[in-house]
Amino acid sequence: MEKKRLALRKLLEAVEKELIQKPNRKTLDRLSLLVGFQDWDSFQETLHGDLGGETIYGGHHQDKKETPDQ
């Protein structure tokens, strides 16, 4: 019984290590493509870059504070 418990503990530790591991660059680039960015770097730049309160729509910058014409 002790051997099974030890084996199970090792298996769980290996699974936890894989779950905590950061995805590789290729995976991050592909995920970024799904949400409309060229690569991971451009996604990160938009999230943490100098755009402030602006977002990018179709290549044009728009300020989030603008309200549509009524």
Side-chain angles (χ1 to χ4, degrees), residues 4 9 11 18 54 70:
K4 287 182 181 181
R9 177 176 286 176
L11 176 63
E18 278 297 312
E54 298 176 352
Q70 295 181 5

Side-chain angles (χ1 to χ4, degrees), residues 8-61:
L8 182 58
R9 177 176 286 176
K10 285 185 180 185
L11 176 63
L12 289 174
E13 287 172 359
V15 169
E16 284 178 345
K17 185 177 178 182
E18 278 297 312
L19 290 175
I20 294 172
Q21 187 178 16
K22 183 179 177 180
N24 66 34
R25 181 57 186 244
K26 189 175 181 179
T27 301
L28 294 172
D29 284 341
R30 288 181 177 176
L31 289 171
S32 298
L33 281 172
L34 286 174
V35 294
F37 293 90
Q38 286 293 119
D39 55 22
W40 180 248
D41 288 334
S42 61
F43 177 66
Q44 288 294 301
E45 179 64 30
T46 301
L47 284 179
H48 307 290
D50 296 331
L51 292 178
E54 298 176 352
T55 55
I56 300 173
Y57 294 102
H60 302 288
H61 295 280

